Amino acid sequence: VLARRVFAEEVYFELPAEKWNSKVKPVGEGNAVQISPDGAIVYVTSTDGTLTGLDAGNGDVKFTHTPPQIGDLDITCASGVSIYPGNSSNVNDTAYVAYSVVYERSPSPTSVVVAVSHPDGQQTWVSQELDGVAAGTPQITSDGKYIFLTHNSDFETVGHFTGLIYDTEFVLLSYQDTVNPFAAPAVFHNPAEGYYRDGDDNTNDIFLWAHTHNQLDETVGEGGNFAFQIPVDYVLGGDGLREAIVKLDSRGWQTNSPPAIGNMGRTCFYSVSRNEFRGWIGVEDDTIGKFHKKANADLKSTPNANPDRTLPPLNTPVLSKNESLVFAGRATNVFSAIKVPSSRNETAMEVLWELETTSLVKSPAIVTDDDMYVFVTESEGVVYALSTSTGRELWTMSLTARGHNSEFSMNERGDMLYIGDTGGNVVAWRFRGAPSEAPSALPSAYPSLMPSFQPSISPSKTPVPTPAIAPSASPSRAPSKMPVAKPTLGPIRIITPQPTLTPTPISRASRSGITLLSLCTAFVISTILL
């Protein structure tokens, strides 16, 4: 990951500044608005399989790519993009972007992976057709040679994990599981080791995934999670790849999303059935938290948190940069900040704070580089900037269309967000910069601004101080030099963490009163000025 510069003279804006907005095909669940690592192109996948490349500087359409048509079959897409940045030391090793689409054959759909060159969007490769429906986004290895994905056949009841050799017609690996279908995989590039049985000395990319809910089951069925690494001594065309797939844990849970992976590949967290979470927290030279063992951290569901007691949350959990917190939407209209156990003697994950939303959170959150704020989007198109330590709002905005289920992204510099909605509107917001760059008026394209406010937290019998976000034992990257507890960013409404009390959902009920008060105040001020 490229280092992002943090400037002490910059501030977080009270409102994001709109830099541009653009129009593309509808962006739906599983799709993504993804800025390239070099900051040149914003890639947008749409529900009909169209891939659009937008100029990251002004939002102009640079190219539009349509997958190859097969007869009159409809094409659908619930994939984001994976980007291989290329190898600057090898002119023949060029950057490319990959995503998956589905050909709606009835009753047996098929999927392919499509690759286009970066940054011009010329098609470079299309894989052979794979049985079933692709699950989420295909993942590219760190050297760009292979692409792995999960896909589900037989009415999405049979899971497949497949490895493809980029720019060829060959399949590297094909694995089938008839127990249950698979959720999408996650990849961690160049881990310190394979943190599971017999993976100790393997630093090849690690892929983790798990069973997802079988639509034919009325309750939580059998579940398990899996790991795969290309063996250290593997030679292309040789044997041993199927044996390298390890079924790690079988404990009666399933997931809808890839896990979050951190700590140099030694830690992972899943959102699982019954609105719960499971975590494996590893330490170098310690076997306690290895992935093939029972989870050594969990968050159990609360009574009545999920009426049918089966659903996993719908989005991928996200780690704070120092890996002391996990952020995730729940299977209900709640977004949670969850404390990661700090020692091997702790097993229970605790909720630090929660935000009650008006709809489900389906997109993974984004955390700023200094761990000050987390950005959250909900399905009705509301975007929040929340303090990571207290959950208090810096600002809240609404997108043009009342719908957002796709992934959004932040640039490498850490000052821009790129977000799309179900109407195909894509916006670039700058949320941090010099004080003089802060917006002084509401962006014209987004008249539905929701006022920012500081929610009250009702005291409990025993107030508990909010712990500062402390680095984990083996963070995957160093914490930012910018302090969390006492920000030195200048005159901005950055919320200094205050002592918080026991976790309490932040109610939206008071929002209407605050809105009315804000409107009345604005009216009085405008009358005085006139």
Side-chain angles (χ1 to χ4, degrees):
V1 178
L2 297 177
R4 299 177 178 133
R5 298 177 64 192
V6 178
F7 297 95
E9 68 271 15
E10 289 190 345
V11 298
Y12 286 96
F13 300 155
E14 291 179 294
L15 299 175
E18 180 187 305
K19 306 305 291 183
W20 52 260
N21 62 78
S22 189
K23 186 76 172 180
V24 301
K25 296 287 188 70
V27 183
E29 189 166 348
N31 294 149
V33 176
Q34 180 64 54
I35 178 74
S36 60
D38 61 7
I41 300 292
V42 176
Y43 289 97
V44 186
T45 54
S46 296
T47 55
D48 67 350
T50 300
L51 175 67
T52 305
L54 303 175
D55 187 310
N58 56 26
D60 289 349
V61 176
K62 302 293 288 185
F63 67 83
T64 299
H65 178 267
T66 302
Q69 187 68 47
I70 299 179
D72 59 353
L73 293 177
D74 289 336
I75 300 175
T76 59
C77 175
S79 169
V81 297
S82 288
I83 303 174
Y84 172 62
N87 185 347
S88 58
S89 63
N90 184 349
V91 295
N92 296 318
D93 189 6
T94 57
Y96 70 90
V97 176
Y99 70 111
S100 63
V101 298
V102 177
Y103 292 104
E104 295 294 346
R105 300 178 183 273
S106 181
S108 301
T110 58
S111 299
V112 299
V113 177
V114 180
V116 302
S117 56
H118 171 75
D120 56 4
Q122 297 298 309
Q123 182 174 294
T124 59
W125 174 74
V126 178
S127 74
Q128 64 171 266
E129 290 186 68
L130 305 172
D131 290 340
V133 177
T137 304
Q139 301 295 331
I140 305 172
T141 55
S142 54
D143 59 8
K145 294 180 179 179
Y146 309 111
I147 300 174
F148 290 87
L149 75 158
T150 54
H151 48 107
N152 300 307
S153 64
D154 296 274
F155 300 97
E156 298 186 59
T157 61
V158 175
H160 303 259
F161 177 72
T162 299
L164 304 168
I165 305 175
Y166 173 64
D167 206 19
T168 76
E169 61 183 5
F170 300 111
V171 171
L172 177 71
L173 168 67
S174 180
Y175 174 81
Q176 178 176 307
D177 189 300
T178 58
V179 173
N180 267 316
F182 287 147
V187 62
F188 193 94
H189 293 143
N190 306 312
E193 59 181 307
Y195 203 65
Y196 56 90
R197 180 180 58 249
D198 300 328
D200 295 348
D201 299 319
N202 194 339
T203 59
N204 289 327
D205 303 337
I206 184 169
F207 295 83
L208 299 178
W209 73 98
H211 284 129
T212 191
H213 184 67
N214 188 326
Q215 58 187 347
L216 302 180
D217 291 339
E218 295 183 357
T219 59
V220 179
E222 182 179 345
N225 55 325
F226 300 78
F228 171 76
Q229 289 178 287
I230 294 177
V232 175
D233 56 354
Y234 177 73
V235 177
L236 186 61
D239 297 327
L241 284 183
R242 284 179 57 87
E243 292 74 15
I245 294 176
V246 180
K247 187 171 184 179
L248 300 169
D249 183 40
S250 182
R251 303 281 177 176
W253 57 263
Q254 298 167 341
T255 186
N256 282 324
S257 57
I261 312 175
N263 191 19
M264 294 303 296
R266 294 190 181 99
T267 292
C268 76
F269 293 92
Y270 280 96
S271 303
V272 305
S273 306
R274 306 176 185 89
N275 203 18
E276 298 181 349
F277 293 87
R278 295 290 184 274
W280 285 257
I281 303 172
V283 178
E284 185 177 4
D285 299 325
D286 194 341
T287 63
I288 294 296
K290 287 207 168 185
F291 299 157
H292 65 277
K293 297 189 175 184
K294 181 180 179 181
N296 62 350
D298 56 44
L299 179 69
K300 301 294 187 181
S301 62
T302 55
N304 302 318
N306 185 15
D308 65 11
R309 301 290 293 168
T310 61
L311 291 177
L314 297 174
N315 66 346
T316 299
V318 172
L319 284 162
S320 61
K321 295 298 184 290
N322 59 24
E323 302 187 2
S324 65
L325 293 174
V326 173
F327 299 97
R330 311 299 291 272
T332 52
N333 295 352
V334 171
F335 179 81
S336 300
I338 304 165
K339 292 189 292 183
V340 174
S342 58
S343 76
R344 58 184 296 177
N345 297 322
E346 299 179 50
T347 59
M349 302 169 66
E350 297 180 2
V351 173
L352 177 63
W353 54 261
E354 289 186 328
L355 173 74
E356 181 183 337
T357 57
T358 58
S359 57
L360 290 173
V361 175
K362 296 184 178 181
S363 175
I366 292 176
V367 184
T368 58
D369 290 330
D370 54 10
D371 274 333
M372 283 291 294
Y373 290 99
V374 56
F375 299 107
V376 183
T377 59
E378 61 169 281
S379 294
E380 287 196 356
V382 182
V383 185
Y384 304 87
L386 306 172
S387 165
T388 56
S389 57
T390 66
R392 301 185 183 210
E393 294 181 14
L394 175 64
W395 50 257
T396 305
M397 294 284 285
S398 289
L399 300 173
T400 299
R402 289 183 61 84
H404 170 84
N405 296 315
S406 56
E407 294 187 20
F408 62 116
S409 60
M410 180 174 70
N411 64 345
E412 291 288 341
R413 190 177 184 277
D415 64 350
M416 294 283 297
L417 291 177
Y418 304 89
I419 310 175
D421 63 32
T422 53
N425 305 290
V426 179
V427 65
W429 287 343
R430 190 173 186 193
F431 59 85
R432 191 178 71 188
S436 60
E437 298 174 304
S440 57
L442 178 67
S444 59
Y446 292 85
S448 54
L449 173 69
M450 300 176 66
S452 175
F453 74 104
Q454 312 304 328
S456 60
I457 303 180
S458 302
S460 63
K461 293 182 180 179
T462 308
V464 179
T466 302
I469 301 178
S472 61
S474 301
S476 61
R477 57 179 70 86
S480 165
K481 293 180 180 179
M482 186 176 293
V484 174
K486 295 183 179 180
T488 57
L489 296 176
I492 185 63
R493 271 68 165 184
I494 293 180
I495 303 162
T496 303
Q498 302 294 325
T500 190
L501 309 175
T502 51
T504 304
I506 300 173
S507 173
R508 299 176 63 92
S510 60
R511 206 165 281 187
S512 60
I514 294 169
T515 304
L516 180 59
L517 177 60
S518 300
L519 292 173
C520 292
T521 302
F523 175 80
V524 171
I525 293 173
S526 61
T527 303
I528 293 173
L529 293 176
L530 291 174

